[in-house]
Amino acid sequence: MGQLKLSKVQKFYGTYEVLKGIELEVQNGEFVVFVGPSGCGKSTLLRMIAGLDETTAGDIVIDGKRVNDLPPVKRGIAMVFQSYALYPHMSVFENIAFPLRVEKMPEDKLKARVEHAARILHLDQRLQQKPGMLSGGQRQRVAIGRAIVREPKIFLFDEPLSNLDAALRADMRIELAKLHRQLKATMIYVTHDQVEAMTMADRIVVLNAGEIAQTGAPLELYHKPANVFVAGFIGHPKMNFLPVVCTGVNDAGVEVDYRGHTARIPVVPRGSMAGRTLTLGVRPEHVQTGAADLTLTVTPSVIERLGAHTVAYASLGGEGENYCAMLPGNIAIRADQQVLTGIRAGDCHLFDENGTAFERRVKMTDLDMSLFDPAVA
Ligand SMILES: Nc1ncnc2c1ncn2[C@@H]1O[C@H](COP(=O)(O)OP(=O)(O)OP(=O)(O)O)[C@@H](O)[C@H]1O
Ligand SMILES: [Mg+2]
Protein backbone atom coordinates (compact mmCIF):
# COMPACT_ATOMS: atom_id res chain seq x y z
CA MET A 1 0.00 0.00 0.00
CA GLY A 2 1.11 3.55 -0.57
CA GLN A 3 -1.81 5.90 -0.33
CA LEU A 4 -1.31 9.54 0.57
CA LYS A 5 -3.83 12.12 1.66
CA LEU A 6 -3.05 15.78 2.31
CA SER A 7 -5.75 17.89 3.95
CA LYS A 8 -5.50 21.64 4.44
CA VAL A 9 -1.72 21.39 4.52
CA GLN A 10 -0.11 24.73 5.29
CA LYS A 11 3.46 25.87 5.72
CA PHE A 12 4.64 29.16 7.13
CA TYR A 13 8.22 30.40 7.29
CA GLY A 14 7.75 33.16 9.86
CA THR A 15 4.79 35.12 8.53
CA TYR A 16 5.39 33.99 4.93
CA GLU A 17 2.82 31.44 3.83
CA VAL A 18 4.63 29.10 1.48
CA LEU A 19 1.83 26.51 1.12
CA LYS A 20 -1.77 27.65 1.36
CA GLY A 21 -3.98 24.73 2.34
CA ILE A 22 -3.06 21.91 -0.03
CA GLU A 23 -5.73 19.24 -0.60
CA LEU A 24 -4.60 16.16 -2.48
CA GLU A 25 -5.14 12.41 -2.61
CA VAL A 26 -2.62 10.11 -4.24
CA GLN A 27 -3.74 6.55 -4.92
CA ASN A 28 -1.65 3.46 -4.36
CA GLY A 29 0.67 2.88 -7.33
CA GLU A 30 0.07 6.28 -8.89
CA PHE A 31 2.88 8.34 -10.46
CA VAL A 32 2.11 11.93 -9.49
CA VAL A 33 4.26 14.84 -10.61
CA PHE A 34 4.37 18.20 -8.82
CA VAL A 35 5.27 20.86 -11.32
CA GLY A 36 5.47 24.63 -11.07
CA PRO A 37 7.86 27.57 -11.34
CA SER A 38 10.83 28.06 -9.06
CA GLY A 39 9.81 29.02 -5.53
CA CYS A 40 6.18 27.82 -5.77
CA GLY A 41 6.67 25.35 -2.90
CA LYS A 42 7.27 21.98 -4.61
CA SER A 43 10.31 20.93 -2.57
CA THR A 44 8.76 22.23 0.64
CA LEU A 45 5.66 20.10 0.10
CA LEU A 46 7.74 17.02 -0.72
CA ARG A 47 9.94 17.53 2.33
CA MET A 48 6.86 17.87 4.52
CA ILE A 49 5.53 14.54 3.20
CA ALA A 50 8.96 13.01 3.91
CA GLY A 51 9.03 14.47 7.41
CA LEU A 52 12.15 16.56 6.75
CA ASP A 53 10.24 19.83 7.22
CA GLU A 54 7.64 20.48 9.86
CA THR A 55 4.02 20.94 8.78
CA THR A 56 2.55 24.17 10.20
CA ALA A 57 -1.08 23.03 9.94
CA GLY A 58 -3.18 20.32 8.31
CA ASP A 59 -2.86 16.55 8.08
CA ILE A 60 -0.51 14.29 6.19
CA VAL A 61 -2.00 10.81 6.11
CA ILE A 62 -0.23 7.73 4.71
CA ASP A 63 -2.32 4.55 4.40
CA GLY A 64 -4.95 5.95 6.74
CA LYS A 65 -2.49 6.95 9.45
CA ARG A 66 -1.67 10.56 10.35
CA VAL A 67 2.11 10.83 10.11
CA ASN A 68 2.68 14.52 11.00
CA ASP A 69 4.42 13.56 14.21
CA LEU A 70 6.34 10.54 12.90
CA PRO A 71 10.06 10.88 12.08
CA PRO A 72 11.07 10.31 8.42
CA VAL A 73 12.27 6.71 8.93
CA LYS A 74 8.92 5.65 10.36
CA ARG A 75 6.85 6.97 7.44
CA GLY A 76 7.59 4.19 4.92
CA ILE A 77 8.93 6.62 2.35
CA ALA A 78 12.27 6.99 0.56
CA MET A 79 13.47 10.19 -1.04
CA VAL A 80 15.86 10.76 -3.95
CA PHE A 81 17.35 14.23 -4.31
CA GLN A 82 18.92 16.21 -7.12
CA SER A 83 22.35 15.80 -5.54
CA TYR A 84 23.11 12.10 -5.39
CA ALA A 85 24.77 12.36 -1.98
CA LEU A 86 26.80 9.17 -2.51
CA TYR A 87 29.70 8.21 -0.26
CA PRO A 88 32.78 8.46 -2.51
CA HIS A 89 34.92 6.02 -0.50
CA MET A 90 32.28 3.27 -0.54
CA SER A 91 31.56 0.86 -3.38
CA VAL A 92 28.31 1.02 -5.32
CA PHE A 93 27.21 -2.06 -3.35
CA GLU A 94 27.83 -0.38 -0.01
CA ASN A 95 26.22 2.87 -1.13
CA ILE A 96 23.05 1.02 -2.09
CA ALA A 97 23.21 -1.14 1.05
CA PHE A 98 23.69 1.85 3.35
CA PRO A 99 20.12 2.26 4.66
CA LEU A 100 19.91 -1.50 5.27
CA ARG A 101 23.18 -1.46 7.27
CA VAL A 102 21.64 1.31 9.39
CA GLU A 103 18.64 -0.98 9.96
CA LYS A 104 21.10 -3.82 10.81
CA MET A 105 19.56 -6.16 8.24
CA PRO A 106 21.10 -9.67 8.17
CA GLU A 107 23.84 -10.03 5.52
CA ASP A 108 22.13 -12.59 3.25
CA LYS A 109 18.89 -10.64 3.08
CA LEU A 110 20.79 -7.40 2.53
CA LYS A 111 22.82 -8.92 -0.31
CA ALA A 112 19.69 -10.25 -2.02
CA ARG A 113 18.00 -6.82 -1.82
CA VAL A 114 21.02 -4.93 -3.17
CA GLU A 115 21.53 -7.40 -6.03
CA HIS A 116 17.85 -7.27 -6.94
CA ALA A 117 17.91 -3.43 -7.05
CA ALA A 118 21.16 -3.48 -9.04
CA ARG A 119 19.61 -5.80 -11.64
CA ILE A 120 16.58 -3.52 -12.04
CA LEU A 121 18.85 -0.51 -12.48
CA HIS A 122 21.42 -2.26 -14.73
CA LEU A 123 24.13 -1.70 -12.15
CA ASP A 124 24.91 -5.38 -11.53
CA GLN A 125 28.28 -5.13 -13.30
CA ARG A 126 29.26 -2.04 -11.31
CA LEU A 127 28.69 -3.11 -7.73
CA GLN A 128 32.37 -3.18 -6.79
CA GLN A 129 33.21 0.19 -8.38
CA LYS A 130 33.41 3.50 -6.54
CA PRO A 131 30.97 6.32 -7.47
CA GLY A 132 33.87 8.33 -8.96
CA MET A 133 34.14 5.74 -11.76
CA LEU A 134 30.49 6.18 -12.80
CA SER A 135 28.73 8.58 -15.16
CA GLY A 136 26.16 11.08 -13.86
CA GLY A 137 23.28 8.87 -14.92
CA GLN A 138 24.80 5.80 -13.27
CA ARG A 139 25.37 7.74 -10.05
CA GLN A 140 21.75 8.84 -10.03
CA ARG A 141 20.76 5.19 -10.48
CA VAL A 142 22.83 4.29 -7.42
CA ALA A 143 20.89 6.93 -5.46
CA ILE A 144 17.64 5.43 -6.73
CA GLY A 145 18.92 1.95 -5.78
CA ARG A 146 19.41 3.17 -2.23
CA ALA A 147 15.72 4.11 -2.21
CA ILE A 148 14.55 0.86 -3.81
CA VAL A 149 16.23 -1.45 -1.26
CA ARG A 150 14.21 0.13 1.51
CA GLU A 151 11.04 -1.10 -0.23
CA PRO A 152 9.19 2.08 0.65
CA LYS A 153 5.46 2.53 0.32
CA ILE A 154 6.05 5.84 -1.40
CA PHE A 155 9.03 7.09 -3.42
CA LEU A 156 9.66 10.82 -3.37
CA PHE A 157 11.88 12.37 -6.06
CA ASP A 158 13.03 15.99 -5.98
CA GLU A 159 14.32 16.98 -9.43
CA PRO A 160 16.49 13.86 -9.62
CA LEU A 161 17.50 14.43 -13.24
CA SER A 162 18.37 18.11 -13.26
CA ASN A 163 22.13 17.51 -12.98
CA LEU A 164 22.16 15.40 -16.12
CA ASP A 165 22.63 16.53 -19.69
CA ALA A 166 19.65 16.60 -22.05
CA ALA A 167 20.26 13.20 -23.70
CA LEU A 168 20.78 11.43 -20.39
CA ARG A 169 17.70 13.08 -18.92
CA ALA A 170 15.60 11.70 -21.75
CA ASP A 171 17.06 8.20 -21.17
CA MET A 172 16.54 8.37 -17.42
CA ARG A 173 12.97 9.55 -17.89
CA ILE A 174 12.23 6.36 -19.77
CA GLU A 175 14.12 4.31 -17.16
CA LEU A 176 12.07 5.83 -14.36
CA ALA A 177 8.79 5.23 -16.18
CA LYS A 178 9.84 1.56 -16.62
CA LEU A 179 10.87 1.36 -12.98
CA HIS A 180 7.46 2.61 -11.94
CA ARG A 181 5.73 -0.04 -14.05
CA GLN A 182 8.00 -2.72 -12.63
CA LEU A 183 7.74 -1.78 -8.94
CA LYS A 184 4.09 -0.66 -9.08
CA ALA A 185 4.95 1.66 -6.19
CA THR A 186 3.48 5.07 -5.48
CA MET A 187 5.82 7.75 -6.78
CA ILE A 188 5.72 11.50 -6.26
CA TYR A 189 8.09 13.39 -8.47
CA VAL A 190 8.96 17.08 -8.32
CA THR A 191 10.20 18.95 -11.37
CA HIS A 192 9.93 22.33 -13.02
CA ASP A 193 10.37 20.64 -16.39
CA GLN A 194 6.98 20.26 -18.00
CA VAL A 195 8.26 17.68 -20.48
CA GLU A 196 9.20 15.39 -17.57
CA ALA A 197 5.79 16.03 -16.05
CA MET A 198 3.88 15.33 -19.26
CA THR A 199 5.81 12.18 -20.13
CA MET A 200 6.02 10.44 -16.76
CA ALA A 201 2.91 11.38 -14.80
CA ASP A 202 -0.34 9.51 -14.40
CA ARG A 203 -1.48 12.76 -12.87
CA ILE A 204 0.11 16.19 -12.71
CA VAL A 205 -0.36 18.65 -9.86
CA VAL A 206 0.42 22.18 -11.06
CA LEU A 207 1.47 24.43 -8.19
CA ASN A 208 1.46 28.21 -8.37
CA ALA A 209 2.60 30.34 -5.43
CA GLY A 210 1.76 27.71 -2.81
CA GLU A 211 -1.61 26.72 -4.24
CA ILE A 212 -2.77 23.95 -6.55
CA ALA A 213 -3.65 25.60 -9.87
CA GLN A 214 -4.98 22.33 -11.33
CA THR A 215 -4.70 18.57 -10.96
CA GLY A 216 -5.26 16.22 -13.86
CA ALA A 217 -3.91 13.73 -16.38
CA PRO A 218 -1.30 15.24 -18.73
CA LEU A 219 -3.62 15.48 -21.73
CA GLU A 220 -6.43 16.83 -19.59
CA LEU A 221 -4.20 19.75 -18.57
CA TYR A 222 -3.12 20.25 -22.17
CA HIS A 223 -6.60 20.22 -23.68
CA LYS A 224 -8.59 21.65 -20.78
CA PRO A 225 -6.39 23.94 -18.69
CA ALA A 226 -8.52 25.44 -15.91
CA ASN A 227 -6.85 28.82 -16.00
CA VAL A 228 -4.35 31.05 -17.76
CA PHE A 229 -1.55 29.92 -15.46
CA VAL A 230 -1.86 26.22 -16.35
CA ALA A 231 -2.50 27.06 -20.01
CA GLY A 232 0.74 29.02 -20.13
CA PHE A 233 2.74 26.53 -18.10
CA ILE A 234 1.83 23.31 -19.93
CA GLY A 235 2.83 23.24 -23.58
CA HIS A 236 5.91 24.40 -25.41
CA PRO A 237 6.30 26.90 -26.94
CA LYS A 238 3.96 28.67 -24.58
CA MET A 239 0.31 29.36 -25.48
CA ASN A 240 -0.37 32.73 -27.15
CA PHE A 241 -2.72 35.01 -25.24
CA LEU A 242 -4.67 37.67 -27.13
CA PRO A 243 -7.02 40.28 -25.61
CA VAL A 244 -10.46 40.01 -27.21
CA VAL A 245 -13.87 41.60 -26.68
CA CYS A 246 -16.96 39.43 -26.49
CA THR A 247 -19.54 40.49 -29.08
CA GLY A 248 -22.25 37.99 -28.19
CA VAL A 249 -23.24 34.38 -27.66
CA ASN A 250 -24.91 32.02 -30.09
CA ASP A 251 -25.32 28.29 -30.69
CA ALA A 252 -21.76 27.99 -31.98
CA GLY A 253 -20.37 29.40 -28.77
CA VAL A 254 -18.97 32.73 -27.69
CA GLU A 255 -18.26 35.29 -30.39
CA VAL A 256 -15.15 37.34 -29.86
CA ASP A 257 -13.49 40.18 -31.68
CA TYR A 258 -9.76 40.59 -32.00
CA ARG A 259 -8.87 43.88 -33.70
CA GLY A 260 -11.78 43.63 -36.12
CA HIS A 261 -11.46 39.89 -36.74
CA THR A 262 -14.29 37.81 -35.28
CA ALA A 263 -14.50 34.15 -34.42
CA ARG A 264 -17.01 31.96 -32.59
CA ILE A 265 -15.26 29.95 -29.92
CA PRO A 266 -17.01 26.70 -28.92
CA VAL A 267 -17.00 27.21 -25.16
CA VAL A 268 -19.79 27.28 -22.57
CA PRO A 269 -20.68 30.90 -21.68
CA ARG A 270 -21.01 32.05 -18.06
CA GLY A 271 -23.24 34.97 -17.05
CA SER A 272 -23.75 37.96 -19.32
CA MET A 273 -21.00 37.94 -21.90
CA ALA A 274 -21.35 40.76 -24.44
CA GLY A 275 -18.93 43.63 -24.00
CA ARG A 276 -16.53 41.80 -21.69
CA THR A 277 -12.80 41.83 -22.27
CA LEU A 278 -11.57 38.24 -22.34
CA THR A 279 -8.37 36.42 -23.19
CA LEU A 280 -8.14 34.12 -26.18
CA GLY A 281 -5.60 31.31 -25.87
CA VAL A 282 -4.01 29.76 -28.97
CA ARG A 283 -1.30 27.13 -28.87
CA PRO A 284 1.55 27.75 -31.35
CA GLU A 285 1.07 24.24 -32.76
CA HIS A 286 -2.52 25.13 -33.66
CA VAL A 287 -1.52 28.03 -35.89
CA GLN A 288 -1.43 27.08 -39.55
CA THR A 289 -0.60 28.97 -42.71
CA GLY A 290 -3.52 30.18 -44.80
CA ALA A 291 -6.93 31.40 -43.74
CA ALA A 292 -9.04 29.69 -41.06
CA ASP A 293 -11.77 30.73 -38.58
CA LEU A 294 -9.53 33.50 -37.26
CA THR A 295 -7.06 34.75 -39.84
CA LEU A 296 -4.18 37.04 -38.93
CA THR A 297 -1.50 38.47 -41.18
CA VAL A 298 1.73 38.63 -39.25
CA THR A 299 5.33 39.58 -39.91
CA PRO A 300 7.68 37.29 -38.00
CA SER A 301 10.76 38.97 -36.60
CA VAL A 302 12.54 35.73 -35.75
CA ILE A 303 12.34 32.31 -37.40
CA GLU A 304 13.75 29.23 -35.72
CA ARG A 305 14.39 26.23 -37.93
CA LEU A 306 14.28 23.11 -35.77
CA GLY A 307 14.16 20.58 -38.58
CA ALA A 308 10.85 18.93 -37.78
CA HIS A 309 9.24 22.32 -37.13
CA THR A 310 9.76 25.96 -37.88
CA VAL A 311 8.91 28.32 -35.04
CA ALA A 312 8.00 31.87 -36.04
CA TYR A 313 7.81 34.76 -33.54
CA ALA A 314 5.90 37.92 -34.37
CA SER A 315 4.50 40.90 -32.54
CA LEU A 316 0.85 41.70 -33.08
CA GLY A 317 1.30 45.34 -32.21
CA GLY A 318 -0.22 45.58 -28.76
CA GLU A 319 1.91 45.44 -25.64
CA GLY A 320 2.79 41.86 -24.74
CA GLU A 321 0.85 40.58 -27.72
CA ASN A 322 3.53 38.28 -28.91
CA TYR A 323 2.52 35.61 -31.31
CA CYS A 324 4.30 32.35 -31.82
CA ALA A 325 3.49 29.83 -34.51
CA MET A 326 4.85 26.32 -34.86
CA LEU A 327 4.78 25.56 -38.56
CA PRO A 328 6.03 22.67 -40.71
CA GLY A 329 9.80 22.23 -40.88
CA ASN A 330 10.30 23.05 -44.55
CA ILE A 331 7.85 25.92 -44.81
CA ALA A 332 8.99 28.75 -47.08
CA ILE A 333 8.78 31.78 -44.82
CA ARG A 334 11.34 34.44 -43.95
CA ALA A 335 11.82 36.94 -41.18
CA ASP A 336 10.36 40.38 -41.94
CA GLN A 337 8.06 39.01 -44.65
CA GLN A 338 4.31 38.89 -44.18
CA VAL A 339 2.59 35.55 -43.76
CA LEU A 340 -1.10 34.71 -43.53
CA THR A 341 -1.87 32.51 -40.53
CA GLY A 342 -5.11 30.88 -39.50
CA ILE A 343 -6.50 29.38 -36.32
CA ARG A 344 -9.47 27.00 -36.07
CA ALA A 345 -12.05 28.17 -33.53
CA GLY A 346 -12.26 24.65 -32.05
CA ASP A 347 -8.57 24.78 -31.14
CA CYS A 348 -8.95 28.00 -29.13
CA HIS A 349 -9.21 28.50 -25.38
CA LEU A 350 -11.06 31.36 -23.74
CA PHE A 351 -10.46 32.85 -20.29
CA ASP A 352 -12.41 35.38 -18.24
CA GLU A 353 -11.14 38.56 -16.56
CA ASN A 354 -9.77 36.51 -13.64
CA GLY A 355 -7.97 34.09 -15.90
CA THR A 356 -10.46 31.25 -15.32
CA ALA A 357 -11.16 29.14 -18.39
CA PHE A 358 -14.55 28.83 -20.01
CA GLU A 359 -15.30 25.14 -20.42
CA ARG A 360 -14.37 23.97 -23.89
CA ARG A 361 -16.92 21.97 -25.83
CA VAL A 362 -14.29 19.49 -26.97
CA LYS A 363 -14.65 16.21 -25.17
CA MET A 364 -11.74 13.96 -24.36
CA THR A 365 -13.57 11.42 -26.56
CA ASP A 366 -13.06 13.75 -29.53
CA LEU A 367 -9.39 12.90 -29.26
CA ASP A 368 -8.10 9.94 -31.14
CA MET A 369 -8.50 7.32 -28.45
CA SER A 370 -8.85 4.42 -30.92
CA LEU A 371 -5.56 2.93 -29.75
CA PHE A 372 -7.03 2.51 -26.30
CA ASP A 373 -10.31 1.02 -27.44
CA PRO A 374 -10.30 -2.71 -26.64
CA ALA A 375 -12.84 -3.23 -29.46
CA VAL A 376 -10.21 -2.01 -31.93
CA ALA A 377 -7.31 -3.94 -30.43
N1 LIG B 1 14.19 27.26 5.24
C1 LIG B 1 13.49 28.24 4.67
N2 LIG B 1 13.30 29.44 5.29
C2 LIG B 1 12.59 30.43 4.72
N3 LIG B 1 12.02 30.35 3.51
C3 LIG B 1 12.17 29.21 2.83
C4 LIG B 1 12.91 28.10 3.37
N4 LIG B 1 12.86 27.08 2.46
C5 LIG B 1 12.15 27.54 1.42
N5 LIG B 1 11.73 28.81 1.63
C6 LIG B 1 10.90 29.62 0.72
O1 LIG B 1 9.73 28.89 0.40
C7 LIG B 1 9.38 29.07 -0.96
C8 LIG B 1 9.21 27.73 -1.64
O2 LIG B 1 10.48 27.09 -1.73
P1 LIG B 1 10.68 25.67 -2.38
O3 LIG B 1 12.09 25.27 -2.18
O4 LIG B 1 9.63 24.74 -1.88
O5 LIG B 1 10.40 26.00 -3.91
P2 LIG B 1 10.46 25.03 -5.19
O6 LIG B 1 9.10 25.09 -5.80
O7 LIG B 1 10.99 23.71 -4.83
O8 LIG B 1 11.46 25.81 -6.15
P3 LIG B 1 12.68 25.29 -7.10
O9 LIG B 1 12.00 24.88 -8.39
O10 LIG B 1 13.51 26.48 -7.28
O11 LIG B 1 13.35 24.16 -6.42
C9 LIG B 1 10.46 29.94 -1.57
O12 LIG B 1 9.98 31.25 -1.66
C10 LIG B 1 11.61 29.85 -0.60
O13 LIG B 1 12.34 31.02 -0.59
MG1 LIG C 1 12.79 22.70 -5.27
Side-chain angles (χ1 to χ4, degrees):
M1 287 288 280
Q3 215 175 21
L4 172 75
K5 187 165 184 228
L6 306 178
S7 354
K8 301 194 180 74
V9 166
Q10 275 180 300
K11 176 73 179 176
F12 279 85
Y13 282 117
T15 55
Y16 176 49
E17 192 178 12
V18 178
L19 291 164
K20 304 170 184 170
I22 301 290
E23 299 274 343
L24 180 69
E25 281 189 48
V26 177
Q27 300 310 321
N28 186 33
E30 232 186 335
F31 197 130
V32 170
V33 175
F34 294 170
V35 72
S38 188
C40 69
K42 306 179 294 293
S43 296
T44 305
L45 187 55
L46 205 67
R47 292 173 59 83
M48 283 158 66
I49 297 167
L52 300 170
D53 275 351
E54 206 183 317
T55 300
T56 313
D59 297 322
I60 298 180
V61 177
I62 296 177
D63 289 340
K65 186 173 171 194
R66 187 176 186 273
V67 299
N68 289 49
D69 303 318
L70 285 187
V73 288
K74 297 257 174 78
R75 293 190 184 195
I77 48 100
M79 189 152 166
V80 179
F81 299 91
Q82 176 181 350
S83 64
Y84 322 129
L86 302 181
Y87 298 104
H89 59 286
M90 287 186 192
S91 65
V92 167
F93 184 100
E94 286 305 325
N95 266 287
I96 296 177
F98 190 79
L100 307 181
R101 297 255 183 247
V102 174
E103 281 176 30
K104 302 200 171 26
M105 183 178 279
E107 190 64 30
D108 50 344
K109 195 171 166 196
L110 175 148
K111 189 159 179 279
R113 285 244 192 133
V114 173
E115 284 172 354
H116 176 65
R119 264 195 308 280
I120 292 174
L121 296 166
H122 310 292
L123 287 170
D124 29 355
Q125 302 304 314
R126 309 259 172 199
L127 285 171
Q128 297 319 316
Q129 294 183 340
K130 298 270 166 62
M133 299 164 74
L134 304 181
S135 70
Q138 288 163 340
R139 283 181 216 180
Q140 190 52 282
R141 277 188 266 152
V142 176
I144 294 167
R146 201 164 47 187
I148 291 177
V149 291
R150 296 184 51 203
E151 301 187 347
K153 292 189 228 176
I154 304 178
F155 284 84
L156 305 178
F157 296 94
D158 193 354
E159 310 232 14
L161 308 186
S162 42
N163 283 350
L164 307 178
D165 68 40
L168 207 47
R169 282 175 81 121
D171 289 349
M172 281 300 289
R173 240 174 30 218
I174 295 165
E175 291 299 319
L176 278 173
K178 279 191 207 156
L179 183 70
H180 177 244
R181 276 223 311 273
Q182 208 170 346
L183 298 178
K184 297 183 175 63
T186 308
M187 295 189 172
I188 302 178
Y189 187 101
V190 163
T191 179
H192 56 257
D193 180 337
Q194 51 117 352
V195 176
E196 281 181 15
M198 291 297 283
T199 53
M200 294 197 287
D202 293 319
R203 211 145 54 95
I204 298 177
V205 176
V206 183
L207 285 169
N208 179 24
E211 288 179 295
I212 295 181
Q214 191 174 359
T215 303
L219 286 186
E220 223 173 304
L221 299 195
Y222 178 82
H223 290 291
K224 295 196 165 187
N227 47 59
V228 166
F229 181 82
V230 174
F233 196 81
I234 301 287
H236 184 79
K238 197 176 157 198
M239 186 185 281
N240 297 296
F241 294 112
L242 308 178
V244 294
V245 176
C246 179
T247 47
V249 172
N250 56 40
D251 288 349
V254 174
E255 192 175 84
V256 298
D257 175 282
Y258 177 71
R259 296 169 177 261
H261 304 274
T262 57
R264 291 182 188 137
I265 313 302
V267 293
V268 181
R270 274 198 309 270
S272 71
M273 296 290 296
R276 287 166 69 178
T277 302
L278 307 172
T279 301
L280 188 71
V282 180
R283 294 202 183 277
E285 56 272 37
H286 292 147
V287 178
Q288 58 201 52
T289 50
D293 300 327
L294 182 64
T295 304
L296 301 174
T297 304
V298 300
T299 307
S301 52
V302 175
I303 307 265
E304 289 176 346
R305 297 275 181 195
L306 298 175
H309 306 288
T310 296
V311 184
Y313 298 90
S315 166
L316 291 175
E319 192 179 331
E321 281 169 57
N322 298 323
Y323 188 63
C324 173
M326 194 149 89
L327 301 169
N330 289 337
I331 196 159
I333 55 169
R334 283 179 208 277
D336 302 325
Q337 285 190 2
Q338 275 195 347
V339 51
L340 195 71
T341 68
I343 305 151
R344 293 189 317 175
D347 287 332
C348 292
H349 299 250
L350 193 65
F351 305 93
D352 70 11
E353 299 82 346
N354 301 317
T356 305
F358 289 95
E359 191 191 337
R360 295 180 77 205
R361 288 204 182 137
V362 287
K363 296 189 203 77
M364 291 302 278
T365 47
D366 292 342
L367 305 173
D368 182 6
M369 299 302 269
S370 54
L371 280 173
F372 304 104
D373 186 348
V376 175

